[in-house]
Amino acid sequence: MKFDGKVALITGASRGIGRAIAAEFSRDGAAVALLGRDTAALEASAHECRRARAGAVAEIFAGDVADQAAIERIVSEVVARFGRIDFAIANAGQSIDALILRLKADTIDRMLDVNLKSAFYLCSAVAKPMMKQRAGSIVLMTSIVGVMGNAGQAAYAASKAGLIGLCKSVAKELGSRNIRVNAVAPGLIETAMTEKMPGAAREFLVKQAALGRAGKPEDVSGVVAFLCSDAAGYITGQTLVVDGGILM
């Protein structure tokens, strides 16, 4: 997968899967725009990109993914800097667990803002330059929890399930302009978010996986790169599960 001359915008690029995606695209030759709020962590991601490929272009664009005006501003800045956006990866996400009887309104709002609304804003903002190019690929990062649900994660599951519907709808809207939209649903991946899981819950998921292990961020980043590549040129509106065989 060669992305020479291409530009990738990645939200939630400060750590974990987002950082791995940024390094993957850099390794494949793309210039990457790293979006997030933690500038120090984004700097570390940019350093990782430069380690992945000598001369890699990795630039930071600080902003809140849940702020529509900020997303529109940053997309404009990326286009002004690079002249185009070929790939947009909506990776920003957050998990706040609570049983339905204890869910507070601000928790629900936060889950929808960060996990779902941010993807709406990104799709809307990048659609404009991609339509002018008559080409582009958007990847939304959902979760197997959005497919199967999970006790104690109603708000998180609902926000991630919403991404699947968003993916299909936007794929139908933009397909005639040669813009593809797909989703990736990771299972248990070794990140800072999953480190907070209770040991018993983590062990249960590992046992459920046919491969018998948790995944690594690089297990996901390669799939994202594939979906953006010419090899996936006839794939759109799909959700690709990357879970080691938990959902079968």
Side-chain angles (χ1 to χ4, degrees), residues 174-194:
L174 301 181
S176 64
R177 300 299 184 95
N178 195 34
I179 300 169
R180 298 182 297 106
V181 186
N182 292 289
V184 174
L188 177 63
I189 306 297
E190 294 176 349
T191 65
M193 182 184 296
T194 58

Side-chain angles (χ1 to χ4, degrees), residues 42-238:
L42 289 173
E43 286 286 1
S45 294
H47 177 69
E48 191 69 23
C49 292
R50 297 177 190 118
R51 284 185 55 195
R53 182 175 63 87
V57 177
E59 298 195 9
I60 293 169
F61 295 83
D64 184 354
V65 296
D67 182 340
Q68 184 174 16
I71 291 293
E72 290 177 349
R73 170 183 57 79
I74 289 170
V75 167
S76 295
E77 290 175 356
V78 173
V79 172
R81 167 64 179 86
F82 296 106
R84 60 189 299 116
I85 297 177
D86 298 283
F87 316 124
I89 318 301
N91 174 72
Q94 185 178 7
S95 176
I96 304 174
D97 298 347
L99 295 171
I100 191 69
L101 292 175
R102 298 178 180 176
L103 263 180
K104 297 180 179 179
D106 59 349
T107 297
I108 298 170
D109 289 342
R110 186 60 183 166
M111 289 294 90
L112 294 178
D113 287 347
V114 175
N115 296 348
L116 183 55
K117 286 185 180 180
S118 65
F120 271 93
Y121 303 151
L122 184 66
C123 288
S124 175
V126 301
K128 298 170 186 176
M130 287 182 177
M131 288 172 72
K132 290 181 180 179
Q133 297 163 191
R134 297 194 69 83
S137 178
I138 300 170
V139 178
L140 310 181
M141 196 62 61
T142 179
S143 166
I144 61 168
V145 175
V147 178
M148 68 181 189
N150 196 32
Q153 291 190 305
Y156 179 75
S159 66
K160 290 297 187 177
L163 289 172
I164 297 173
L166 176 64
C167 166
K168 293 178 182 295
S169 297
V170 180
K172 290 182 177 181
E173 288 187 21
L174 301 181
S176 64
R177 300 299 184 95
N178 195 34
I179 300 169
R180 298 182 297 106
V181 186
N182 292 289
V184 174
L188 177 63
I189 306 297
E190 294 176 349
T191 65
M193 182 184 296
T194 58
E195 284 177 359
K196 301 175 184 177
M197 291 178 62
R202 181 184 177 87
E203 184 179 350
F204 172 79
L205 285 175
V206 170
K207 288 181 178 179
Q208 290 292 109
L211 296 182
R213 65 173 177 86
K216 299 178 180 179
E218 292 75 19
D219 292 321
V220 180
S221 64
V223 174
V224 175
F226 162 72
L227 287 174
C228 289
S229 74
D230 291 342
Y234 202 54
I235 300 175
T236 194
Q238 302 304 307

